[in-house]
Amino acid sequence: MLCQYIEADAQSPHPYSDALFSFITVENGLPNNFVNDIYKDSRGFIWISTYGGGLLRYDGYDFKNFNTRTAVPIKSNFADQCVEDNFHRLWIASEGGIDIIDLDYGTECSKTVFANHPDNLLHQHTYMITKDSRGSIYAAVGLSVFKADFASDGSISSISRLNPQNNPTIPITAIYEYDGQILAGIDNTIFKLIADDNSNLTTKVFAPALQNLPCNNIKCIVAKENELWVGTNDGLFRYNPASQTLRTYRHSDSDPSSITQNLVSDLKIADNGQLLVATLKGLNFYDSMHDCFSSISCDQDNIPGKTINSNFINCLFCDRKIIWIGTESSGINMMTKPVIGVKNYTHIPSESGSISSGPVNSVYADPNGNIYAGCIEGGLNIKAKESQSFMHITTANGLAHNSISYIEPISPKILWLGTWGNGISVFDTEKQKVVKNLTPASTNIPIDFVGALKYDSLNNGVWIGCTRGFLFYDLAQENFAPPLPDSLNTGINGCIGITITHDGYLLAGCTKGIITINLESFKKNRSDFEYKVMAPNANDRNSQYRNKVTFLMQASDHSVYVGTDGYGLIKVTKNGNQTSSTQITTDNGLSNNIVYQILEDNAHHIWAATANGLCCYSPNSGRISSYYKQEGLASNQFFLERMLQNIKFRHSIFW
């Protein structure tokens, strides 16, 4: 796999031009693609209100449905909004009215909450529901609004209703707290809602400039810095309380920097202060410096994952680095700014210079910046430093086999290419050709399937892990030797992880455990040298990973990191003659317990490519950050992917 960092251009058409998109639709769990609202509760669950599919709780992996037929039913499958009160109860607004779910026990509790108050308010179409900073609940019910205040035990202490004299002509869909005041968009005017002593919500025009706006109804309100933004069915308005001035924004076909449509469905402020304007014709970004807008939209020529999948946006929710976009026709879009820079190289059948179609098994970057990628059934792919295209070396050019499993530099100009099926090819990078093949047929050695290679400068040879044993090739003598006794070597059915430590030991993972060889001892006497096999011990749970090694790497602090198949990442440290190991798994934040590859960056972070995402581990803090498709990775699965990726993180670049 491969990724490269692409920095945002100074002339970017909008501030999220480098954003990445992922989607939640009916294809991966939504019962309906029409999303009315997205909300996050105090426990971190995402609640999705849908039009026809009820309410869903999403934990990042799975959904729990609430509809008219579930064990905890709600009054209607047409859910509009939800909000959590200060007593861990979720208030759900729908066409059928209001449902209240106790989040601690997962039970419906609306009758208990309204025990001392008329419950007729629970059975009317409720269009929106929200909570103010004091913990009061406001709900737009029918053509009115009510406010519920609570006692310390969570019971309702009082209910105030909108004074009937107001008589809205259409349902209220905009209630917003601004500077301690509750504002409501009633028809085409912004009012303050004030509770009197007679259980009434009285109204007062908030500002003359926001009275009788040139629209039919107010859809949403948000404050940005010292100004108030109002989205309506006929344009966007910006009100400055200090100057009491109003600025109007409408779409103009002749002005590409105008908003994309006059119907503004939602307004939100992102964590970076960016004003987001949702319409039924794409998403708009306000440029305060130039007082104009840029936008993103969906059309048939868009590249999947590079923009929204629908222009019909109903709602927005900003959650730290993720902007959730609820659409009317295509579910949820999750828009993120990349934390790591990623560029993916994939096979394009119509382009002869693209990378081969097979999955990338091994990658090597030489000191000059040239990239060598070994593919399954795709041979060796070579990308020169300044080029974006690949040269292909296959069996037609002398390669022993088209499936390359490992690439190991032997000298500045010689690479050994382990293959999965026919031994080893020796490749000259200056001549750009295969100069020698070491195959089972030419050597009478069972080296068909090569899992790992490691050059040993002390002994001037190459250590080879393959499915039929563990071998050493003497470069001067040009011959193979099994370094271990036949009784041990013949029992090895796979070896795919090898490294050489700073103190001169070779470590190799195989099906019997981890082999350690003292290379200085091996140099002195190749028939009688110091070695041992650290096998799993049934009585030692900390040793169970030893015959499941996938990768070995020694970090700059001399700790050895072991990638495993199912046991996560193992950190082995040595203090004198004593060694200790620390297991890092999904319990500690690792994205998956199958680790395929490990490397250390310039800042001494440890990166682990897993079966589900890329992880960055900080040895100093113990913190783990995980990266997935939504951060730009071509796939969450690192093993069998038909692409190469180059990743830039801070000051480190790796492939």
Side-chain angles (χ1 to χ4, degrees):
M1 305 179 72
L2 165 86
C3 338
Q4 170 207 344
Y5 184 73
I6 304 176
E7 296 191 282
D9 189 274
Q11 302 299 318
S12 296
H14 60 78
Y16 285 81
S17 60
D18 60 343
L20 305 165
F21 293 82
S22 56
F23 311 102
I24 303 174
T25 68
V26 291
E27 295 181 355
N28 50 11
L30 282 185
N32 191 304
N33 275 336
F34 196 124
V35 176
N36 278 326
D37 189 59
I38 303 167
Y39 176 76
K40 184 177 181 180
D41 70 20
S42 60
R43 292 170 170 82
F45 290 109
I46 297 294
W47 295 84
I48 303 165
S49 300
T50 73
Y51 187 81
L55 179 71
L56 295 97
R57 190 189 73 181
Y58 181 56
D59 62 6
Y61 301 95
D62 301 308
F63 295 95
K64 181 175 182 179
N65 293 61
F66 295 84
N67 57 48
T68 57
R69 294 177 177 269
T70 52
V72 180
I74 60 176
K75 293 183 176 68
S76 172
N77 291 335
F78 298 86
D80 288 290
Q81 275 189 336
C82 64
V83 70
E84 181 183 1
D85 66 19
N86 288 350
F87 304 94
H88 302 296
R89 300 176 302 214
L90 192 75
W91 293 58
I92 304 160
S94 73
E95 285 191 6
I98 295 175
D99 294 280
I100 306 174
I101 295 176
D102 188 317
L103 295 177
D104 291 328
Y105 299 99
T107 55
E108 214 286 336
C109 60
S110 57
K111 291 183 179 180
T112 302
V113 174
F114 275 78
N116 299 317
H117 298 272
D119 66 356
N120 60 310
L121 293 174
L122 298 175
H123 302 283
Q124 302 177 51
H125 188 164
T126 304
Y127 295 88
M128 77 163 296
I129 198 159
T130 189
K131 181 180 73 171
D132 69 12
S133 58
R134 300 174 184 85
S136 299
I137 294 290
Y138 287 81
V141 177
L143 296 180
S144 185
V145 175
F146 79 78
K147 172 193 177 188
D149 295 307
F150 300 92
S152 59
D153 63 356
S155 62
I156 295 177
S157 58
S158 65
I159 292 179
S160 304
R161 306 186 196 191
L162 185 66
N163 192 319
Q165 294 179 354
N166 290 107
N167 289 326
T169 60
I170 56 177
I172 297 168
T173 58
I175 299 176
Y176 184 76
E177 184 172 7
Y178 174 68
D179 196 23
Q181 306 170 88
I182 303 301
L183 307 183
I186 299 177
D187 295 340
N188 62 354
T189 297
I190 301 286
F191 290 93
K192 289 192 293 185
L193 296 182
I194 305 167
D196 64 17
D197 295 331
N198 298 315
S199 298
N200 286 323
L201 286 175
T202 61
T203 59
K204 181 179 180 180
V205 174
F206 175 66
L210 294 175
Q211 185 175 16
N212 297 321
L213 291 171
C215 65
N216 290 329
N217 74 298
I218 293 167
K219 306 285 290 183
C220 46
I221 307 168
V222 74
K224 176 175 167 56
E225 297 164 352
N226 62 341
E227 296 183 312
L228 202 65
W229 292 78
V230 181
T232 76
N233 72 316
D234 193 17
L236 176 65
F237 301 90
R238 185 182 67 174
Y239 174 67
N240 187 306
S243 62
Q244 299 185 25
T245 55
L246 189 70
R247 172 89 159 87
T248 303
Y249 300 89
R250 285 195 173 93
H251 173 71
S252 171
D253 289 339
S254 62
D255 182 4
S257 65
S258 65
I259 59 173
T260 51
Q261 190 189 55
N262 289 339
L263 194 157
V264 176
S265 53
D266 203 1
L267 296 168
K268 288 292 187 295
I269 307 297
D271 284 6
N272 61 2
Q274 175 68 56
L275 173 66
L276 307 174
V277 183
T279 74
L280 298 187
K281 198 175 181 182
L283 182 61
N284 297 258
F285 309 90
Y286 178 64
D287 182 344
S288 58
M289 183 175 294
H290 302 98
D291 193 27
C292 63
F293 296 87
S294 55
S295 64
I296 55 173
S297 60
C298 173
D299 62 54
Q300 61 183 4
D301 297 324
N302 290 141
I303 301 173
K306 295 298 183 181
T307 188
I308 53 179
N309 65 0
S310 171
N311 288 331
F312 301 98
I313 300 174
N314 283 335
C315 61
L316 300 169
F317 170 62
C318 300
D319 182 29
R320 292 177 294 185
K321 66 179 181 178
I322 302 177
I323 295 172
W324 299 68
I325 304 168
T327 74
E328 188 173 300
S329 58
S330 299
I332 292 173
N333 293 224
M334 291 182 289
M335 181 172 73
T336 59
K337 295 278 282 183
V339 178
I340 54 175
V342 178
K343 182 173 182 180
N344 300 312
Y345 292 82
T346 60
H347 175 66
I348 303 173
S350 61
E351 296 184 12
S352 60
S354 69
I355 195 168
S356 297
S357 61
V360 177
N361 246 7
S362 185
V363 182
Y364 169 68
D366 72 17
N368 298 318
N370 303 309
I371 304 301
Y372 299 82
C375 297
I376 294 178
E377 295 301 337
L380 180 67
N381 290 248
I382 305 171
K383 187 184 85 66
K385 180 179 180 180
E386 302 300 332
S387 174
Q388 293 301 308
S389 62
F390 292 84
M391 180 175 74
H392 307 284
I393 305 295
T394 65
T395 52
N397 311 107
L399 199 64
H401 195 280
N402 281 334
S403 291
I404 295 179
S405 53
Y406 211 93
I407 302 174
E408 177 69 8
I410 305 301
S411 71
K413 72 170 189 174
I414 297 296
L415 298 178
W416 272 39
L417 311 175
T419 75
W420 201 250
N422 197 29
I424 297 164
S425 290
V426 181
F427 186 77
D428 189 313
T429 59
E430 289 184 354
K431 296 178 181 179
Q432 296 284 281
K433 61 183 289 188
V434 175
V435 295
K436 187 177 185 178
N437 284 319
L438 302 171
T439 66
S442 65
T443 63
N444 290 320
I445 301 291
I447 54 170
D448 313 53
F449 300 95
V450 177
L453 299 167
K454 192 65 183 179
Y455 173 61
D456 176 0
S457 59
L458 181 64
N459 291 289
N460 191 28
V462 182
W463 297 89
I464 304 162
C466 56
T467 55
R468 298 195 191 181
F470 185 56
L471 305 169
F472 177 79
Y473 184 84
D474 189 311
L475 291 170
Q477 300 296 322
E478 297 187 342
N479 61 21
F480 287 92
L484 302 175
D486 288 344
S487 60
L488 177 62
N489 206 40
T490 54
I492 296 174
N493 299 315
C495 178
I496 59 174
I498 302 178
T499 193
I500 293 176
T501 65
H502 299 291
D503 55 354
Y505 282 83
L506 180 131
L507 307 179
C510 68
T511 51
K512 286 197 170 183
I514 298 176
I515 301 168
T516 68
I517 295 176
N518 184 322
L519 296 180
E520 187 66 42
S521 172
F522 183 77
K523 181 180 180 180
K524 292 176 181 178
N525 189 337
R526 293 188 179 179
S527 61
D528 184 16
F529 56 89
E530 179 187 333
Y531 78 90
K532 65 179 178 179
V533 178
M534 296 185 293
N537 184 338
N539 298 319
D540 180 7
R541 60 180 300 179
N542 293 326
S543 71
Q544 298 304 306
Y545 70 89
R546 291 176 181 171
N547 65 345
K548 298 293 183 181
V549 173
T550 58
F551 200 86
L552 289 157
M553 186 276 296
Q554 187 172 38
S556 56
D557 67 356
H558 295 187
S559 297
V560 173
Y561 287 87
V562 184
T564 71
D565 186 359
Y567 291 92
L569 180 67
I570 311 296
K571 178 182 179 181
V572 181
T573 55
K574 189 175 182 181
N575 185 7
N577 294 325
Q578 300 296 317
T579 60
S580 61
S581 63
T582 302
Q583 187 176 21
I584 304 165
T585 68
T586 52
D587 291 339
N588 310 106
L590 200 67
S591 61
N592 192 272
N593 285 335
I594 300 175
V595 177
Y596 293 121
Q597 193 167 5
I598 311 164
L599 59 80
E600 181 180 19
D601 68 18
N602 296 339
H604 308 298
H605 297 107
I606 304 301
W607 292 78
T610 79
N612 183 34
L614 178 68
C615 295
C616 179
Y617 168 70
S618 171
N620 291 332
S621 67
R623 179 181 175 184
I624 298 175
S625 300
S626 298
Y627 304 94
Y628 304 92
K629 287 180 68 175
Q630 64 197 46
E631 278 80 32
L633 299 182
S635 171
N636 291 337
Q637 162 64 270
F638 266 79
F639 184 45
L640 295 177
E641 278 311 311
R642 299 175 181 272
M643 63 196 61
L644 181 67
Q645 301 184 23
N646 162 254
I647 301 175
K648 178 176 179 181
F649 180 77
R650 297 178 183 171
H651 303 295
S652 300
I653 298 177
F654 51 90
W655 299 77

